[in-house]
Amino acid sequence: MRQQFLNDGIEHLDFHVARKAECQKLSRLILAGDYVPERAQRILVEKSKGLCRQLVIPSVKDAIVLQCLSDALYTEVKGKEPTKCAFFEPKNHKFSIQKSQYGSIPAWLNFQRELFNFSANRNYIVVTDISNYYDSISYTHLRNVISAISGVEECVLDMLIHVLSSLLWQPDYMPRVEIGLPQMNLDAPRLLAHCFLYELDKFLASDPNRDFVRFMDDIDVGVDRISDAKQVLKAMDLVLQTKQVRLNSGKTLILRKDAAAKHFRIFQNSQLDKLTENIALKVASGKQITVEVARIEKAVSSGLAKKSFDHGNGDKVLKRWINLAAKTGAILDTEDLKRVFLNRPSVRENVCSYIMRSDFSISLAKMAAECARSPLLVDDAGRVDLVNYLLEALVPRKGKRHDHIMRVQAACDVQTYFGLYCKMWLQSKYDTTQALLDTIQATQALWASHERMGRLVGSFSPLFADIAEKSSYYTLINQAVNHGVRDVSRFHDALANDPNVFNSMYDSLKATNPSRGTGITHPKFLCLLSALKNKAVPPTQIATLKNNHVLAWKDAYYSDIAKRLSI
């Protein structure tokens, strides 16, 4: 669930603690035929030029059901693919600092490696993908494809398609149509979309005189003659038409070998591989990386000035440079970062990660404020991502930084779901409890009707412990009649008083998260506040929690919260 755009106020740790009982209840509902997917939240994510895709954020229970069904299906289809040139595999779901919306990172790297190999040997490379792929998949065709390649029971397939179709967006209250897979950061729809193209894989692998690789609907074919390139495109499109999908003519390219090398940025990727390896070796041996840091800073600034990242896979190369800058402490120009954030949606998350992991300077805070207030942000995800990462940036001093953070907060429209999420989430760290309480009170009609938003409001309960606003806060959340706010506030209360709940959370809370600037996620910090109030546990455990999170106490805002709560 951490892969989703919206953070849960306590990272669903209440479900995690009671997961055995919760999963037993879920199983009974499924076996009795009474299981119904919950209302999913949808977020607009810009692709380019203002065009947005709708990403579904499922509930934790629906995510578990979908993942179990997906894992079962993958067991059945694994090894039955017609070729080894289609690279996709589910994530391993281990705790990881890396996010990816494409499946496992090794599969993506294997896809790139194979593509680079044959693009150097073939005279022409065909680059294409499928137009509106997920939105165009017919459930009838999908069922036929999956049934033909797997031995999965029909009822399992029925349930998987039923859950996915229930999460698919339908405008207003229009009847559902049997077309389209919801897009989400989970394996289930991706696995189905991957298997849907097995017939195309079989066709492409049937001719030994061409090479090809596929990752989901990104398809690249290597041939030696321009006539072969046109013929294979024609044939591919005809194969896909039998499934009622078509190639995207606007994104289809036929490239010569030298143009393909530039398009895929083979030389630049090779340089980055060597640089990354050299940096790792120097760091491991305790040597300075000053020269490498200067190279990174120059590569980003000069590349943007010369528009070197504007064509082909330039954005992918730019992502790698920015990630490397964050890891090495390279200082990137804030004006460059602002332009990247506003004009390159696919790189926004990397810019946010850089902000969080860098020294949070006044110039970075100013840049964040300007990005948040820009009318170029037409989607929901851009501002949500920025806020999520700002919360976990280490802010050693306030000063002018605070003014800029308040400008970010002022840019959040509380009349919208995501605007309210962003404002309250920011206020929980960077504003006063009275200001947060005022927002909760003024927007009660909006958040009380959404369980997810109620969970966010409930996660603020440790901030109101033992202060003057406590009674007003609890009066508000009790009036709301919202299951989310009730469940989360009760969990915080149990964490602060029940030694059994504390013990169930202890290992999780004492673990640090080096991927975060503060060494801890913001929801986990809120849980930490409750745990540190528990007087029924040994003082040594309380001391361990405090000592393990010394980095968080160096944050000026977290330090003030701890002092206010006498922690």
Side-chain angles (χ1 to χ4, degrees):
M1 295 303 293
R2 290 180 183 172
Q3 304 299 313
Q4 311 306 319
F5 278 96
L6 287 182
N7 286 329
D8 181 68
I10 55 172
E11 295 183 350
H12 299 287
L13 288 165
D14 54 339
F15 188 97
H16 180 74
V17 168
R19 61 192 179 278
K20 185 174 181 180
E22 291 285 358
C23 289
Q24 285 176 344
K25 289 191 292 185
L26 200 52
S27 295
R28 292 190 196 101
L29 286 173
I30 292 169
L31 293 174
D34 296 327
Y35 166 74
V36 178
E38 296 179 22
R39 181 176 63 176
Q41 186 63 49
R42 293 172 181 81
I43 185 169
L44 289 179
V45 183
E46 186 181 1
K47 295 188 290 185
S48 66
K49 303 171 186 174
L51 299 174
C52 299
R53 64 165 60 95
Q54 288 202 56
L55 235 63
V56 172
I57 304 174
S59 69
V60 65
K61 293 179 181 178
D62 292 338
I64 288 175
V65 171
L66 280 172
Q67 196 56 50
C68 288
L69 290 169
S70 176
D71 290 345
L73 179 60
Y74 184 65
T75 302
E76 292 290 336
V77 302
K78 189 176 182 180
K80 297 180 181 178
E81 59 271 14
T83 172
K84 299 297 182 184
C85 296
F87 294 92
F88 170 80
E89 61 185 30
K91 299 179 189 177
N92 59 20
H93 301 289
K94 294 179 180 178
F95 288 107
S96 170
I97 65 171
Q98 291 177 300
K99 288 186 179 181
S100 170
Q101 59 183 20
Y102 296 109
S104 74
I105 291 174
W108 171 254
L109 294 176
N110 290 334
F111 163 77
Q112 293 279 14
R113 192 176 297 113
E114 189 66 24
L115 173 58
F116 291 168
N117 286 341
F118 76 68
S119 64
N121 301 321
R122 292 291 186 176
N123 293 329
Y124 293 93
I125 305 298
V126 175
V127 180
T128 189
D129 69 4
I130 298 173
S131 180
N132 298 321
Y133 182 45
Y134 277 73
D135 296 332
S136 304
I137 293 176
S138 161
Y139 289 152
T140 301
H141 291 303
L142 180 63
R143 185 185 299 277
N144 292 339
V145 168
I146 302 299
S147 297
I149 63 176
S150 75
V152 67
E153 292 184 40
E154 186 175 355
C155 62
V156 176
L157 187 56
D158 285 341
M159 184 174 180
L160 179 55
I161 292 177
H162 167 72
V163 176
L164 288 172
S165 64
S166 299
L167 298 176
L168 187 66
W169 178 68
Q170 296 291 336
D172 300 323
Y173 294 97
M174 291 178 63
R176 296 193 176 277
V177 293
E178 293 295 304
I179 296 177
L181 287 176
Q183 297 185 60
M184 63 180 74
N185 287 330
L186 285 175
D187 289 328
R190 297 180 191 140
L191 179 58
L192 290 172
H194 171 66
C195 296
F196 190 73
L197 296 178
Y198 274 8
E199 184 177 338
L200 178 65
D201 296 338
K202 186 176 181 180
F203 161 73
L204 289 171
S206 64
D207 188 344
N209 294 318
R210 62 180 171 236
D211 296 309
F212 89 96
V213 286
R214 178 176 69 82
F215 196 92
M216 205 56 67
D217 65 325
D218 290 333
I219 308 160
D220 303 288
V221 184
V223 293
D224 289 324
R225 297 178 300 183
I226 188 73
S227 59
D228 292 336
K230 297 181 74 173
Q231 288 289 344
V232 76
L233 277 170
K234 179 190 75 172
M236 287 168 60
D237 200 37
L238 289 173
V239 170
L240 292 171
Q241 283 187 56
T242 65
K243 300 287 188 290
Q244 295 179 306
V245 293
R246 300 291 301 273
L247 290 179
N248 189 332
S249 60
K251 293 185 178 179
T252 297
L253 302 171
I254 299 176
L255 304 171
R256 290 182 179 274
K257 183 192 299 185
D258 55 346
K262 292 179 181 178
H263 177 86
F264 295 122
R265 308 300 177 104
I266 293 175
F267 177 68
Q268 291 94 328
N269 276 291
S270 177
Q271 281 187 315
L272 272 163
D273 289 340
K274 291 178 182 177
L275 178 61
T276 303
E277 186 178 345
N278 288 339
I279 289 173
L281 290 172
K282 279 194 171 184
V283 170
S285 59
K287 296 180 179 178
Q288 295 292 321
I289 56 171
T290 309
V291 174
E292 288 76 11
V293 167
R295 182 181 172 187
I296 294 168
E297 294 169 352
K298 183 178 179 181
V300 175
S301 60
S302 63
L304 289 170
K306 297 175 182 177
K307 299 184 178 181
S308 302
F309 305 114
D310 287 5
H311 305 288
N313 287 0
D315 274 0
K316 292 183 174 65
V317 174
L318 180 57
K319 285 182 181 183
R320 294 190 66 185
W321 281 116
I322 293 175
N323 288 343
L324 205 53
K327 291 178 182 177
T328 58
I331 300 175
L332 303 182
D333 182 76
T334 53
E335 284 299 314
D336 284 342
L337 288 171
K338 183 174 75 171
R339 285 192 290 270
V340 169
F341 183 88
L342 294 176
N343 300 314
R344 298 175 186 265
S346 66
V347 194
R348 280 177 185 164
E349 187 177 323
N350 306 84
V351 174
C352 291
S353 181
Y354 174 84
I355 294 172
M356 178 192 68
R357 300 177 71 176
S358 301
D359 177 28
F360 194 66
S361 62
I362 295 173
S363 60
L364 276 179
K366 180 183 177 183
M367 184 217 82
E370 291 172 351
C371 288
R373 296 166 65 89
S374 173
L376 292 174
L377 278 187
V378 299
D379 64 352
D380 304 314
R383 194 171 284 105
V384 167
D385 247 354
L386 182 62
V387 166
N388 286 339
Y389 281 96
L390 277 178
L391 277 165
E392 289 157 7
L394 180 63
V395 186
R397 292 173 301 281
K398 295 183 181 181
K400 292 182 180 179
R401 296 174 182 81
H402 183 76
D403 296 335
H404 294 308
I405 293 171
M406 289 300 102
R407 289 172 64 204
V408 176
Q409 180 181 302
C412 302
D413 181 6
V414 296
Q415 300 304 313
T416 67
Y417 183 95
F418 296 105
L420 179 57
Y421 166 89
C422 289
K423 180 163 186 174
M424 290 198 300
W425 212 212
L426 278 173
Q427 285 183 311
S428 66
K429 177 179 179 180
Y430 294 115
D431 213 339
T432 64
T433 50
Q434 183 59 56
L436 175 58
L437 183 65
D438 290 343
T439 301
I440 294 172
Q441 186 172 21
T443 60
Q444 184 177 8
L446 177 56
W447 63 259
S449 59
H450 294 273
E451 184 171 344
R452 293 169 189 267
M453 196 68 80
R455 289 181 63 85
L456 193 72
V457 173
S459 71
F460 304 144
S461 58
L463 299 175
F464 291 94
D466 304 323
I467 63 172
E469 296 88 356
K470 179 179 179 179
S471 60
S472 299
Y473 168 77
Y474 276 98
T475 298
L476 276 174
I477 66 174
N478 289 332
Q479 289 173 346
V481 194
N482 179 289
H483 292 296
V485 72
R486 179 200 62 193
D487 292 345
V488 173
S489 61
R490 284 180 179 174
F491 176 77
H492 270 293
D493 184 63
L495 184 57
N497 296 284
D498 188 337
N500 293 323
V501 175
F502 178 95
N503 290 332
S504 66
M505 287 284 295
Y506 181 67
D507 288 339
S508 177
L509 289 176
K510 73 178 181 181
T512 58
N513 189 335
S515 70
R516 300 300 189 247
T518 54
I520 188 172
T521 64
H522 188 58
K524 193 74 72 67
F525 177 79
L526 295 176
C527 290
L528 182 65
L529 294 178
S530 290
L532 292 175
K533 285 285 188 178
N534 197 319
K535 294 181 172 57
V537 298
T540 52
Q541 289 184 311
I542 297 296
T544 298
L545 292 180
K546 287 184 177 180
N547 294 334
N548 285 12
H549 294 291
V550 290
L551 191 59
W553 309 128
K554 292 180 180 179
D555 183 281
Y557 292 91
Y558 280 168
S559 177
D560 282 355
I561 291 172
K563 290 176 183 176
R564 186 174 72 240
L565 300 176
S566 302
I567 291 175

